[in-house]
Amino acid sequence: MTVRILPLPETAPPVPDHGLGALSTDRGNLPLDSVDVHASITGLAAGIEIVQGFRNPFDVPLEATYIFPLPDRAAVTALRMEAADRVIEGRLKERGQARQDYDTAIAAGQRAAIAEEDRPDVFTMRVGNILPGERITIRLSLDQPLPHESASSATFRFPLVVAPRYIPGAPLDGERAGSGVADDTNAVPDASRISPPVLLPGFPNPVRLAVTVDIDPSGLPLTQIRSALHVVAEEGDGERTTVRLQPGERLDRDFILRLDFAPHESAALALVPDESGEEGTFSLTVLPSGEARPRPRDVVLVLDRSGSMYGWKMVAARRAAARIVDTFRAEDRFAVLSFDNVIERPRDLGSGLADGTDRNRFRAVEHLAALGARGGTEMLAPLDEGCRLLTDPTRDRVLVLITDGQVGNEDHLLAHLEPRLHGVRVHTVGIDQAVNAGFLNRLAAIGGGRCELVESEDRLDEAMEHIHHRIAAPLATGLDLHADGLEIVPDTVAPTRLGALFPGVPLQIAGRFRGAPSGTLTVRGTASDGTAWEQHATGTVTKNPATRSIWARAHLRDLEDRYTVGGPGELEQRIISASLRFGVLCRFTAFVAVDNRVATEGGTPHKVVQPVETPRGWAGAAPMAEPRMSPAAFAMEMDEDLDMYMDVDLQRSAPPPRSASMPPAPMPAAPSGPPPMPQGAPPGYGAPPPAKARPAGRPLGRARRPAGPAPSSRPAPSPLAGFQQELANVLGRLRQVPDTREERIQHLLSELLPILESIVQRMQTLSLDTKVLADLRDDLHRLRPTADQPTVSSQWTQALQVLAAFTGEAPPRRPFWKRSN
């Protein structure tokens, strides 16, 4: 059983209010002490080195686990482990073999490291047999494209924290897939691999962060560099520029640089031969221009109002949705679906598509103005309902999803939606400072649309200009690629679906070719007026090695999405072969580094899972020092302070009435509710206990609305239920702990005690009776790490009895053992 913090005899007692990770030694308390990111941007591609520093502050050998993000389009091409005077290059292997090699090395007492991909943007690093006081450095090499946001700008985005994700489904019995805090479920079988523990408020900055970006425009007319979320220092000589992050920042939000360019050529084709000269990689960029002839549209707008959207994200989402509604014309039809655990619609607009009249648009904006964040992120039903509404092939069919994307069941969603999206364009708008870009980009790609990311309210106006272009009529549809004098290797073009072409929105295509690096490529399609459209580019030979790995990652992602939608078949082996051939990490392979020198006596090292920061902006209006609220409390929150000014802004953006019969816009009453969502919300935030499997025959797209009052006025669940659910989860984990004095005392002090501290404080804030839990907390404070076996057994039995009585005695679960991928 993996524990997150290991208390030893010399550790100090936990400090009140410091939360997870507050146990400390004279050398520190967490294994990860530094993250250094160095990126070199050349043109529209970046080579990146990430250096993670791990140090063992304890007096026993340690295995550290770190669940961390990387850019979802980046290709991980190398791993290196450095320890003492040893440098070990990692090898890319089939994932099962890599795990076996790692486990064998750890058991033999050798140092080892393994990096695995769990989502396109979520990875797990394990570093084992770190000796007491020793430091091990892990270096990862990446190649990353800079996606175009428009014809005149590109973005370098590097994520720094994995945000808590909503985990739907019923818990699974049997083996756990990973070391995270969430239980695996039937909807997210690997939830325990993507749910790192979260540091509570008051914890000092545990990780030194450094970010350096060297920028070489490589002939592109670079005019401006903008840092979206961080203060940076900039220096340069006119041709090259270096941007550095100021010291002292935390790993709590994405690092984003935007590069603005002057207008340049409309199409470019780069040809990069392999060293063998037999094959090579091409990269085509098309920058379209012109006007499209609009057609009547059917648009379904799906808005996430779940608990993680609290604060500025809810404000930005409502404003974005209102501005999209503003663009509808009388000949358009639309629907607005807001969702958390249920789906809600604007009043008087019915269950189908409404005409884009003044009155109907007004009702939609009125509905948006009253929305607050609450509940869980049950995303499947509203997306399925949106697809059900978009069935008329004579009209442009568009689905727009506005969300932070913080869900764990991405594969389940994509597999269900893909067959329903034929003829429907899907555009995604991601709103967060630690957004789930991997999922939102995958959904947009499958839907032949585009993804737009919004990291702040300041960015919203610029982003909305891009969004309006994307949901407007396309310049050309039915795109395909034609080669003249260049032999394209079959089934290597990425993306496989070229989708549609929109004004000012660049199209990037890559693939493999055989033979001489010469020729032209032409993109052809049908213009909005029904005439033929085409644009071509002549190849230019370049020597950028990143082109090959960036293409390989895009190709592997396409294959992985096909695997998700269509099932295993021969795709798994094809993915593995491509990954190993081109040296790029994917979900079926892993980088493993094993030191052949024996460092310890073998056995099982103590395990620590590195906690991560609470994403910036997730704390809502609550001060950092205030106690956290329970999941039930923030499930029913309604952001009354934000509504006061948001309503005014939305009324300003609402269309002016063109009919004298239209009523004046009412000001929605400020909703009441408990305090806002807390910092460090756990996975499953704001959600009720996991639901049972759906009864056979119940349609996915028809969410049942509970009888009685409207959702906004239904009675809120008792705050006590949230605390009971938290401790029920803890009780389930404690029942799995091996029957040894060492294991039990570790879990009592490192897992149960900090949680009891937090829950007792939060219950006292709500004037709930805390005597039973407070007594158990006080008993654990008196328990010493050196206590003998009878004392530990007695305390263990008492703890389980108290938790069982408080939670209603959940039945014991079978032990979890690690499950292979």
Side-chain angles (χ1 to χ4, degrees):
M1 178 65 184
T2 299
V3 297
R4 286 180 284 283
I5 298 297
L6 174 65
L8 293 173
E10 71 272 22
T11 59
V15 181
D17 297 332
H18 277 207
L20 183 62
L23 297 169
S24 60
T25 71
D26 57 3
R27 291 189 299 271
N29 53 357
L30 298 175
L32 182 71
D33 67 0
S34 66
V35 171
D36 192 330
V37 179
H38 183 243
S40 296
I41 297 176
T42 303
L44 293 176
I48 308 170
E49 183 180 65
I50 304 129
V51 182
Q52 299 172 348
F54 295 89
R55 188 170 57 89
N56 182 359
F58 305 115
D59 289 340
V60 291
L62 178 69
E63 180 186 50
T65 298
Y66 179 35
I67 301 170
F68 65 101
L70 290 176
D72 64 295
R73 299 173 188 236
V76 182
T77 59
L79 177 148
R80 172 184 292 181
M81 178 173 66
E82 301 172 0
D85 59 341
R86 312 283 291 171
V87 176
I88 302 95
E89 297 291 343
R91 295 183 61 191
L92 186 63
K93 298 184 177 183
E94 185 275 328
R95 191 168 181 175
Q97 183 62 55
R99 285 183 173 185
Q100 181 177 335
D101 291 353
Y102 175 85
D103 292 339
T104 300
I106 297 301
Q110 299 164 273
R111 298 183 188 89
I114 185 171
E116 303 172 73
E117 175 187 324
D118 299 302
R119 296 291 187 275
D121 54 353
V122 179
F123 296 75
T124 298
M125 178 72 70
R126 285 187 289 158
V127 184
N129 282 331
I130 310 175
L131 298 179
E134 183 178 54
R135 179 181 177 84
I136 288 183
T137 298
I138 302 295
R139 297 180 183 271
L140 290 171
S141 297
L142 287 73
D143 289 319
Q144 176 189 353
L146 270 60
H148 280 285
E149 291 179 342
S150 69
S152 59
S153 70
T155 300
F156 172 75
R157 176 184 297 267
F158 195 91
L160 294 171
V161 62
V162 175
R165 301 188 178 191
Y166 176 75
I167 307 297
L172 294 175
D173 288 321
E175 304 168 350
R176 288 193 104 200
S179 304
V181 298
D183 283 339
D184 301 328
T185 71
N186 57 356
V188 193
D190 63 344
S192 59
R193 292 193 62 84
I194 61 171
S195 54
V198 179
L199 288 170
L200 298 186
F203 193 80
N205 192 357
V207 180
R208 180 189 62 78
L209 171 65
V211 180
T212 304
V213 182
D214 296 324
I215 303 170
D216 177 2
S218 190
L220 294 175
L222 180 64
T223 59
Q224 183 178 215
I225 301 171
R226 295 176 286 155
S227 174
L229 296 177
H230 293 84
V231 176
V232 297
E234 183 178 329
E235 59 187 45
D237 57 8
E239 295 183 0
R240 301 177 65 94
T241 304
T242 297
V243 175
R244 287 188 175 85
L245 177 67
Q246 70 172 4
E249 290 284 1
R250 303 178 78 105
L251 285 81
D252 60 359
R253 60 201 187 278
D254 296 345
F255 179 83
I256 302 171
L257 289 181
R258 289 198 165 81
L259 311 181
D260 295 334
F261 301 97
H264 49 290
E265 61 180 317
S266 59
L269 174 61
L271 303 176
V272 185
D274 293 348
E275 291 184 1
S276 66
E278 297 178 356
E279 289 189 357
T281 306
F282 71 82
S283 176
L284 172 65
T285 301
V286 177
L287 302 176
S289 60
E291 296 294 331
R293 176 180 297 178
R295 296 174 53 195
R297 294 177 297 172
D298 286 349
V299 182
V300 176
L301 186 59
V302 180
L303 178 66
D304 180 359
R305 62 170 305 180
S306 64
S308 67
M309 293 292 290
Y310 179 81
W312 77 268
K313 291 195 288 184
M314 193 73 250
V315 174
R318 292 185 300 205
R319 289 178 59 195
R323 294 188 187 185
I324 292 174
V325 170
D326 252 354
T327 68
F328 298 151
R329 302 157 300 174
E331 61 267 30
D332 295 331
R333 299 185 303 189
F334 74 96
V336 174
L337 309 177
S338 58
F339 73 95
D340 54 348
N341 298 99
V342 297
I343 303 172
E344 294 179 328
R345 302 166 179 263
R347 64 187 179 92
D348 301 332
L349 292 191
S351 60
L353 295 171
D355 294 331
T357 63
D358 290 351
R359 181 179 295 276
N360 289 341
R361 290 188 291 127
F362 174 80
R363 292 300 185 201
V365 173
E366 179 187 43
H367 170 77
L368 294 168
L371 292 179
R374 68 179 191 198
T377 317
E378 292 291 345
M379 191 177 288
L380 181 59
L383 291 177
D384 194 71
E385 177 73 359
C387 293
R388 186 188 67 80
L389 294 171
L390 297 171
T391 57
D392 188 344
T394 66
R395 303 168 70 90
D396 277 345
R397 290 172 284 168
V398 180
L399 189 151
V400 182
L401 172 64
I402 303 177
T403 178
D404 58 10
Q406 303 299 355
V407 293
N409 59 328
E410 297 102 316
D411 283 356
H412 182 209
L413 289 167
L414 295 173
H416 178 82
L417 292 171
E418 194 275 342
R420 293 161 173 78
L421 292 178
H422 295 301
V424 177
R425 289 196 307 276
V426 179
H427 301 291
T428 57
V429 183
I431 300 181
D432 200 354
Q433 294 187 0
V435 71
N436 184 352
F439 167 59
L440 297 179
N441 275 311
R442 290 172 71 194
L443 179 57
I446 287 178
R450 303 282 294 192
C451 172
E452 186 74 24
L453 302 180
V454 179
E455 70 277 357
S456 69
E457 287 187 84
D458 293 338
R459 158 81 176 144
L460 186 61
D461 290 338
E462 179 184 359
M464 288 312 302
E465 289 298 318
H466 300 160
I467 294 167
H468 289 167
H469 285 305
R470 285 155 170 68
I471 66 172
L475 277 174
T477 56
L479 302 180
D480 55 14
L481 189 64
H482 296 265
D484 183 8
L486 186 71
E487 182 185 356
I488 298 178
V489 178
D491 204 16
T492 63
V493 174
T496 54
R497 297 183 181 182
L498 299 185
L501 202 60
F502 299 91
V505 181
L507 174 66
Q508 294 177 295
I509 307 170
R512 296 282 290 170
F513 67 86
R514 291 193 185 101
S518 63
T520 63
L521 288 179
T522 301
V523 179
R524 294 175 181 166
T526 303
S528 59
D529 60 1
T531 61
W533 179 96
E534 69 175 38
Q535 195 162 354
H536 70 275
T538 301
T540 302
V541 178
T542 67
K543 296 182 179 181
N544 186 357
T547 301
R548 171 176 155 136
S549 56
I550 289 173
W551 162 80
R553 183 65 197 101
H555 176 59
L556 287 167
R557 185 172 63 177
D558 278 348
L559 293 177
E560 289 169 347
D561 286 342
R562 285 160 60 180
Y563 176 91
T564 296
V565 171
E570 81 290 347
L571 276 176
E572 180 176 343
Q573 188 54 51
R574 184 177 170 190
I575 293 169
I576 293 171
S577 298
S579 173
L580 297 179
R581 177 188 173 190
F582 295 103
V584 172
L585 180 66
C586 73
R587 66 168 61 184
F588 294 118
T589 56
F591 274 107
V592 61
V594 175
D595 187 355
N596 56 21
R597 178 187 296 177
V598 175
T600 74
E601 296 179 355
T604 303
H606 289 283
K607 300 180 180 181
V608 176
V609 179
Q610 174 73 27
V612 301
E613 298 278 358
T614 299
R616 175 74 67 91
W618 281 51
M624 292 278 289
E626 286 189 7
R628 300 169 70 218
M629 309 312 308
S630 70
F634 60 77
M636 54 187 179
E637 65 84 33
M638 298 289 281
D639 47 344
E640 51 188 317
D641 55 333
L642 295 173
D643 275 351
M644 286 190 293
Y645 65 82
M646 182 56 205
D647 294 334
V648 175
D649 183 79
L650 280 178
Q651 299 307 325
R652 254 200 320 268
S653 66
R658 297 181 206 162
S659 169
S661 63
M662 283 191 65
M667 290 290 287
S672 59
M677 188 179 83
Q679 173 151 344
Y685 43 78
K692 296 180 180 179
R694 184 187 301 105
R698 178 179 169 191
L700 286 170
R702 293 176 174 81
R704 294 182 298 181
R705 190 183 299 278
S712 58
S713 60
R714 63 176 179 264
S718 166
L720 188 62
F723 300 121
Q724 290 172 326
Q725 183 61 47
E726 283 188 73
L727 288 179
N729 293 338
V730 176
L731 178 60
R733 292 196 293 270
L734 293 181
R735 291 189 187 280
Q736 304 153 22
V737 174
D739 185 11
T740 66
R741 187 196 75 86
E742 292 78 10
E743 290 284 351
R744 287 183 167 183
I745 202 167
Q746 288 169 9
H747 284 268
L748 287 173
L749 294 181
S750 68
E751 180 168 12
L752 179 57
L753 181 55
I755 291 175
L756 283 176
E757 290 275 13
S758 173
I759 288 179
V760 168
Q761 291 176 5
R762 288 181 276 150
M763 289 179 64
Q764 290 172 344
T765 302
L766 299 176
S767 300
L768 298 175
D769 183 7
T770 63
K771 185 179 187 308
V772 173
L773 297 182
D775 288 346
L776 176 59
R777 175 201 61 187
D778 295 341
D779 289 344
L780 291 178
H781 272 303
R782 290 188 287 268
L783 182 65
R784 302 268 68 86
T786 54
D788 57 21
Q789 177 68 41
T791 302
V792 174
S793 296
S794 174
Q795 185 65 73
W796 183 263
T797 301
Q798 177 197 356
L800 265 57
Q801 289 175 345
V802 170
L803 297 183
F806 183 82
T807 61
E809 183 55 33
R813 303 262 307 276
R814 294 202 305 264
F816 287 134
W817 305 110
K818 177 152 289 188
R819 175 171 62 238
S820 63
N821 191 54

